[in-house]
Amino acid sequence: MSLLLARRFHRASLQYQRSETVLNVRDVLRLHGEASTPVILLIMATCCLMPVGGIGTVLSFAMVLMAWRWYRQQETTVLPERIARLEIQRTWAQRILKGLALTYMMTARWLKPRWSGLTRPGIRIWWALWIASMAFLIFLPIPFGNVLPGLSLMLFSLGWAYRDGVVLALSQMVGLCAMAFAAAFGHLAATLMMQAWNWTRTFFN
């Protein structure tokens, strides 16, 4: 299945390069064929990597809703219409198609069911909280703050789809780096604000 998807996205990349059509998020979903919660989350996480203003805000709310549905064991197979209609810039559309082709090629080679303890139903609530926490980081207005949580959710989507606990553990590692980056940025911003406040008080006194 992964090799089939890799070839499909590779062909789509070549066809898109020769055409003048505009690619939207719904088109990317159609290329996957059958929709599922991991596929929907993978697409949204991939879109978070695009440098488009406000996209993280929209996607983060959709991801929190998906986390709730995940906890309640409800499958998500449809993208919100606002997200589905989102048009992708040509440069990024080409990168996404090529990136997904490469991703599925690597998936076919390396991913396999293992470390089943990380995919058992009993810890489903933990993964729901994880999705929500990464969505919160994506929501925050941090420069390049979407990249690490977006990568974490991409890894989570692939790991869950293929029941690969190693990839799920890697998703957590990347997510922890995202949390550390957000905390460091918050500390720096608070320090700069305090210094600016102290300078202002000194200037006017």
Side-chain angles (χ1 to χ4, degrees):
M1 184 63 182
S2 296
L3 285 176
L4 175 63
L5 287 172
R7 296 190 189 101
R8 186 181 298 169
F9 277 98
H10 179 67
R11 287 197 301 269
S13 173
L14 295 177
Q15 293 171 0
Y16 181 74
Q17 196 171 12
R18 295 191 294 264
S19 69
E20 297 297 327
T21 58
V22 177
L23 192 75
N24 60 30
V25 177
R26 182 183 282 111
D27 296 328
V28 179
L29 177 61
R30 285 173 180 164
L31 285 170
H32 279 90
E34 184 178 353
S36 64
T37 299
V39 168
I40 298 288
L41 186 58
L42 175 65
I43 292 173
M44 290 198 292
T46 303
C47 290
C48 287
L49 304 183
M50 296 189 301
V52 179
I55 190 170
T57 302
V58 175
L59 292 174
S60 61
F61 285 107
M63 288 175 178
V64 170
L65 178 60
M66 179 174 287
W68 173 249
R69 290 177 59 83
W70 180 277
Y71 168 67
R72 294 176 61 86
Q73 301 186 25
Q74 297 174 345
E75 188 75 8
T76 301
T77 58
V78 180
L79 280 166
E81 187 61 25
R82 183 177 178 184
I83 296 174
R85 293 199 315 262
L86 181 67
E87 295 183 351
I88 306 172
Q89 296 176 355
R90 288 197 63 85
T91 302
W92 276 95
Q94 193 69 25
R95 290 175 181 173
I96 287 174
L97 292 175
K98 288 182 177 179
L100 287 172
L102 179 60
T103 296
Y104 283 116
M105 184 66 70
M106 295 169 61
T107 295
R109 183 175 302 177
W110 292 323
L111 269 65
K112 59 184 178 182
R114 50 189 165 178
W115 292 18
S116 58
L118 291 177
T119 59
R120 67 180 189 272
I123 61 171
R124 196 177 187 92
I125 185 173
W126 159 253
W127 288 119
L129 291 171
W130 185 257
I131 296 171
S133 64
M134 291 300 103
F136 176 71
L137 292 180
I138 291 171
F139 173 79
L140 296 176
I142 300 175
F144 305 105
N146 291 3
V147 176
L148 288 175
L151 287 174
S152 174
L153 290 176
M154 288 178 67
L155 289 168
F156 166 75
S157 302
L158 293 170
W160 190 270
Y162 292 88
R163 297 298 187 267
D164 193 327
V166 172
V167 178
L168 291 174
L170 183 59
S171 166
Q172 290 183 321
M173 292 174 60
V174 175
L176 290 174
C177 290
M179 293 178 182
F181 179 79
F185 181 84
H187 177 72
L188 177 61
T191 301
L192 292 176
M193 289 177 62
M194 288 298 298
Q195 290 179 352
W197 172 251
N198 292 333
W199 181 84
T200 303
R201 290 179 58 188
T202 302
F203 181 81
F204 287 103
N205 287 338

